[in-house]
Amino acid sequence: MELNANAFGRNSRKALLDKTLQEALGRTTGRFQAHRDAAVAAFPEFEATRERASRIKRDVLDHLDTYLARFIEEAEKRGAVVHVARGPGQAREIAARIARDEGVTLAVKSKSMASEEISFNEALQGAGVTVVESDLGEFIIQLAGEAPSHIIAPAVHKTREQISRLFERHLGEPRTDSIPELVAMARRHLRAKFLSAGMGVSGGNFLVADTGSVVIVTNEGNGRMGTVLPRVHLAVVGIEKVIPRLADLPTFLRLLPRSASGQTISSYVSIVTGARRAGDPEGPERTHILLLDCGRSAILEGKYREILKCVRCAACLNACPVYQSVGGHAYGWVYSGPIGAVLTPLLVGLPEAAALPDASTLCGACADVCPVKIPLPDFLLELRSDAREQGLKAPGEIAAMKGYAGVMKRAGLLEAIERIAGVLGQFFTKGKGIAGLPYPFSGWTERRDFPVPAARPFRKRWKIQRGVTR
Amino acid sequence: MDPKEPIPVSLFFTCLADAFSPGVCTATVEVLERFGAAVSVPLSQTCCGQPAFNSGNRKEARAMARKFLLSFPDDGYIVTPSGSCAAMVKHGYPVLFRDEPRTLTRARAVGERIFELSQFLVDVLGVTDPKSDFSGKVTYHDSCHLRRGLGVVSAPRKLLRAIPGVEFVEMEESDRCCGFGGVFSLKYPRISCKMTERKVERILATGASYVTSGDLGCLLSIGGLISRVGYPVKAIHLAEILVGKTGGLSSFAADAASVEPRPPGTVRWAGGR
């Protein structure tokens, strides 16, 4: 997927003016969050489960090599072919090679954020393979030629009118504003693809080390059909998704749907273990698992390692007032919201996405809802500091900060400046709020007044009233 | 502690209140004195360094933090009318000085002694009745750093409910960020404003005459929007409600904030005056 993260400012201005998007955001994120809060309230063990999940994930990160080796060994033992890609380029090559070797011309794909990371569809198209997105939301945005704007609801920014127009143009369906009819149209169209595709592509929510299984959590039947019907199954999964034991899975299955959409459990949970064996009634003849490192090992070595605990539930997006204001496209890459603001700079390099860590008020709502307790606000702060260290901050900001610190080191100087500001403020504004300030405060006063500096600051008052000098 | 023995409290008045809302500082002093505190004001204090820290400029933040740590005495409570500044000292300083063991020890010790006003009144002094004669319909905005950073949720509400003249109403999404976010409101002013607009909508829906908070930063944004549009509600700091109509402001009568409701169009941010 094309990277556009440093244009966050421009992207967000566009998003704020997009009426349809604004309506969709208000509707969806609010609903997800309300459902999540209700589901958590109705599950007294949430906190304990969350603690356990966080502990398991930390253990995984401490011994990632061991668990991955175990996973690969067990998966291969059960007939799967496991590939490991260091970077996105290598991942694309491997994916294209698999498709060519298997003689695939049509692939049906269920939703996978990891595959977006490596621009999977483009890679396969380059190898002469048509890729059809089979998740309803992904199917819609594929027709529209867009990228997902939400981790679990990729077409959250589309209205049913827009969807109907897309179906009319691309599928030749009649216009309708009935959601069930739209769903039926997509299903009819996709059913034919499932039956003729040579390869089904999926992501993976968890990799189980002790059984070599790939676990896929979905709400639509597409994930299951894509892993069962076509001759070949390819799972594209980040290496951090491994969990030690099948017995750990219930912990995560309790947290993920509740945090994501407020569901007690998702409609489908597929545990795919190896390829089809003799006597199996169904399943692919061959199973490939493409494990993506793509920057993850490097993250594991550093201070942001806990970001790899993420289970991609999107609870932080739904809770984030910035995401709710601008939507996912503003973040300019695969991952949006608070997780995107941290993960994107770590995966693509801070210089390519230094605008994102600033796109937060540090309100902490994301950390409140994170089911695996990732300290997202701390990481945002840390990334901002890294940006300064790496020379990625605007010279104006650094100069302003130096000046400000210079003043704040001396109370006397601050007092003198406050007095001058107070006199000027009273003189120019006659005590009314300031309606216009020069850059960098001009944006602030576009729709808000700025308060007038007091004629006599508190420090001065205190000295006069109490007759003290220290 | 002997109730007659004055409790030593150093006031951390914050640079924002110093410059824009001195009335908030005097109200804080008055309320603390009302409940037996002997308030001293270290005059060498300036800013805790939060804007620099939050924008990633740690070198500058460290310089200000060092200055802060030197400005306050070695013992006694430190009380401030700002949840975010208290949270900065408590949680930000240990990050800033993580590689300087001696300063870190000092920072942690100061962090133990620092309290936001409502938290100090309720949790430390055990105040159940703030003895305020303030009157009006009031709604409360949870500042993010006060609520999530310090975990202060019930203290300000308890105090507001205990004022006989105050009709307290909860707004929807009271814990949702107002959009200020310090440097965020400068870097992304339009998003910030969109968030403030949503907050003000929720405030207006309560029909309250006053919106209060434990952080001047939030009131800067909320009050600034109210002032620009002229909404019939007034943004006022919690300390100013706790002190009451006639209380502590009398000693600074010339600068006392007027707390009478005004007709729409003339309503202004309560700070500044």
Side-chain angles (χ1 to χ4, degrees):
Chain A
M1 186 177 158
E2 207 179 314
L3 176 64
N4 188 23
N6 273 338
F8 181 83
R10 201 166 57 240
N11 298 344
S12 63
R13 280 196 290 281
K14 215 169 90 188
L16 286 170
L17 295 171
D18 185 338
K19 278 210 175 75
T20 338
L21 173 68
Q22 289 299 326
E23 274 170 37
L25 284 170
R27 212 168 47 229
T28 318
T29 56
R31 196 182 62 216
F32 277 141
Q33 209 193 345
H35 288 175
R36 181 253 168 216
D37 293 347
V40 168
F43 182 50
E45 295 148 70
F46 186 82
E47 219 26 67
T49 312
R50 187 184 185 208
E51 184 54 50
R52 193 162 59 242
S54 171
R55 235 179 16 242
I56 296 169
K57 279 280 183 180
R58 214 173 291 135
D59 170 54
V60 165
L61 298 181
D62 288 344
H63 307 99
L64 189 60
D65 282 358
T66 318
Y67 288 124
L68 265 183
R70 179 82 198 274
F71 170 79
I72 294 171
E73 191 190 325
E74 296 298 328
E76 286 177 343
K77 212 187 278 177
R78 290 164 178 83
V81 186
V82 183
H83 315 257
V84 183
R86 284 271 145 220
Q90 197 186 6
R92 280 192 293 270
E93 277 170 31
I94 296 172
R97 197 180 65 227
I98 294 170
R100 265 194 301 263
D101 290 353
E102 299 285 0
V104 173
T105 52
L106 173 67
V108 278
K109 180 164 160 283
S110 51
K111 198 167 73 63
S112 152
M113 302 307 284
S115 72
E116 299 283 345
E117 263 183 60
I118 60 166
S119 300
F120 179 90
N121 291 12
E122 287 84 340
L124 257 66
Q125 276 147 20
V129 180
T130 307
V131 183
V132 178
E133 295 286 350
S134 64
D135 171 272
L136 181 58
E138 292 273 350
F139 177 66
I140 292 164
I141 58 171
Q142 189 180 31
L143 292 182
E146 291 177 15
S149 71
H150 189 284
I151 292 175
I152 60 163
V156 61
H157 58 288
K158 289 270 175 242
T159 62
R160 71 178 84 167
E161 293 77 16
Q162 289 173 323
I163 294 165
S164 180
R165 274 200 297 274
L166 282 170
F167 284 7
E168 183 187 33
R169 193 171 339 128
H170 296 278
L171 312 179
E173 296 283 358
R175 290 279 285 274
T176 174
D177 58 2
S178 149
I179 290 173
E181 276 181 45
L182 287 169
V183 173
M185 289 170 188
R187 179 172 287 150
R188 266 198 312 275
H189 183 81
L190 286 169
R191 189 63 48 109
K193 304 287 179 194
F194 279 116
L195 292 171
S196 52
M199 183 162 81
V201 183
S202 75
N205 296 81
F206 306 99
L207 302 170
V208 184
D210 70 346
T211 61
S213 312
V214 178
V215 182
I216 301 157
V217 180
T218 65
N219 271 322
E220 298 172 25
N222 68 315
R224 183 157 295 177
M225 284 201 279
T227 54
V228 169
L229 287 175
R231 181 162 47 78
V232 181
H233 170 215
L234 167 62
V236 183
V237 195
I239 53 171
E240 81 282 15
K241 291 292 186 76
V242 70
I243 58 172
R245 292 159 293 271
L246 195 61
D248 297 319
L249 186 59
T251 298
F252 293 98
L253 291 182
R254 285 187 183 113
L255 290 174
L256 180 59
R258 281 184 170 91
S259 300
S261 54
Q263 289 167 282
T264 310
I265 188 155
S266 60
S267 308
Y268 297 87
V269 177
S270 301
I271 303 175
V272 183
T273 310
R276 182 177 189 164
R277 281 161 291 258
D280 281 357
E282 57 181 18
E285 287 162 26
R286 288 170 71 81
T287 297
H288 294 269
I289 302 167
L290 174 53
L291 298 177
L292 304 184
D293 184 317
C294 301
R296 287 158 172 81
S297 300
I299 296 174
L300 190 69
E301 298 304 312
K303 55 186 174 179
Y304 301 103
R305 68 184 337 226
E306 283 203 49
I307 201 72
L308 297 176
K309 285 156 67 180
C310 177
V311 294
R312 311 282 190 263
C313 68
C316 64
L317 276 64
N318 297 327
C320 177
V322 174
Y323 178 91
Q324 286 181 25
S325 302
V326 300
H329 285 161
Y331 292 79
W333 203 52
V334 181
Y335 304 102
S336 53
I339 183 67
V342 176
L343 195 55
T344 302
L346 294 176
L347 289 176
V348 304
L350 187 53
E352 302 295 325
L356 294 185
D358 285 337
S360 163
T361 62
L362 304 172
C363 80
C366 51
D368 268 5
V369 298
C370 177
V372 286
K373 294 188 159 188
I374 298 172
L376 289 159
D378 294 350
F379 284 172
L380 290 167
L381 274 169
E382 205 66 38
L383 280 165
R384 293 177 187 186
S385 167
D386 289 357
R388 168 72 188 268
E389 303 274 301
Q390 294 178 27
L392 299 169
K393 288 215 171 270
E397 178 183 327
I398 296 173
M401 282 297 162
K402 281 186 174 157
Y404 152 68
V407 172
M408 292 301 171
K409 272 188 260 180
R410 293 165 63 197
L413 181 57
L414 172 63
E415 192 176 342
I417 290 171
E418 282 177 346
R419 283 190 64 189
I420 296 165
V423 170
L424 290 176
Q426 303 300 314
F427 181 77
F428 283 111
T429 66
K430 302 184 170 60
K432 292 181 175 176
I434 303 169
L437 281 171
Y439 183 81
F441 299 92
S442 46
W444 215 97
T445 51
E446 218 171 76
R447 277 145 79 190
R448 277 175 299 207
D449 286 347
F450 199 81
V452 183
R456 188 181 287 166
F458 173 72
R459 196 190 317 263
K460 183 75 184 167
R461 292 179 194 205
W462 183 260
K463 285 183 185 171
I464 295 168
Q465 290 292 326
R466 306 277 167 137
V468 286
T469 52
R470 201 208 90 85
Chain B
M1 192 179 281
D2 180 354
K4 284 172 203 128
E5 190 80 17
I7 300 147
V9 169
S10 301
L11 177 73
F12 165 25
F13 51 75
T14 80
C15 56
L16 214 53
D18 180 29
F20 295 106
S21 271
V24 170
C25 310
T26 47
T28 306
V29 172
E30 197 70 23
V31 172
L32 288 168
E33 286 179 342
R34 184 183 292 167
F35 294 100
V39 182
S40 63
V41 179
L43 289 171
S44 63
Q45 65 175 294
T46 57
C47 167
C48 63
Q50 189 180 185
F53 179 67
N54 282 359
S55 58
N57 296 286
R58 292 198 176 167
K59 197 172 149 227
E60 289 73 20
R62 252 190 294 276
M64 284 180 259
R66 258 186 254 285
K67 162 89 178 151
F68 182 94
L69 293 175
L70 289 173
S71 299
F72 285 85
D74 291 332
D75 50 17
Y77 296 106
I78 302 169
V79 177
T80 179
S82 163
S84 71
C85 302
M88 172 63 199
V89 174
K90 217 179 196 39
H91 305 308
Y93 284 13
V95 176
L96 283 175
F97 298 114
R98 61 190 173 197
D99 298 325
E100 296 178 37
R102 280 180 62 186
T103 319
L104 181 62
T105 309
R106 166 84 183 166
R108 288 219 172 105
V110 168
E112 292 286 307
R113 296 190 282 125
I114 200 162
F115 291 88
E116 177 273 336
L117 177 64
S118 73
Q119 181 188 28
F120 184 72
L121 291 174
V122 173
D123 296 350
V124 179
L125 299 184
V127 171
T128 51
D129 174 6
K131 299 192 186 354
S132 163
D133 61 353
F134 191 89
S135 60
K137 191 169 177 181
V138 178
T139 189
Y140 174 78
H141 159 67
D142 284 279
S143 95
C144 299
H145 290 113
L146 183 51
R147 185 184 179 105
R148 300 198 182 89
L150 300 178
V152 176
V153 179
S154 63
R157 291 176 165 83
K158 275 185 195 160
L159 293 171
L160 285 169
R161 284 183 210 276
I163 302 172
V166 165
E167 184 195 341
F168 176 70
V169 274
E170 280 284 358
M171 68 173 93
E172 269 186 53
E173 301 181 342
S174 65
D175 65 341
R176 188 190 163 87
C177 180
C178 68
F180 175 63
V183 286
F184 174 81
S185 62
L186 297 178
K187 286 194 174 167
Y188 296 115
R190 289 186 178 91
I191 306 175
S192 162
C193 210
K194 163 113 187 157
M195 288 160 66
T196 310
E197 280 166 2
R198 179 155 163 173
K199 176 58 71 177
V200 171
E201 269 173 36
R202 300 296 187 259
I203 293 165
L204 293 172
T206 64
S209 310
Y210 303 93
V211 54
T212 192
S213 179
D215 257 300
L216 215 48
C218 308
L219 294 172
L220 208 74
S221 195
I222 296 170
L225 183 70
I226 289 172
S227 158
R228 174 66 58 90
V229 184
Y231 288 123
V233 58
K234 195 160 176 166
I236 176 171
H237 192 280
L238 186 63
E240 295 175 293
I241 290 186
L242 295 177
V243 80
K245 274 185 286 204
T246 52
L249 296 181
S250 58
S251 56
F252 298 100
D255 304 301
S258 157
V259 290
E260 290 306 310
R262 296 166 184 219
T266 60
V267 174
R268 311 204 39 76
W269 183 46
R273 279 189 308 271

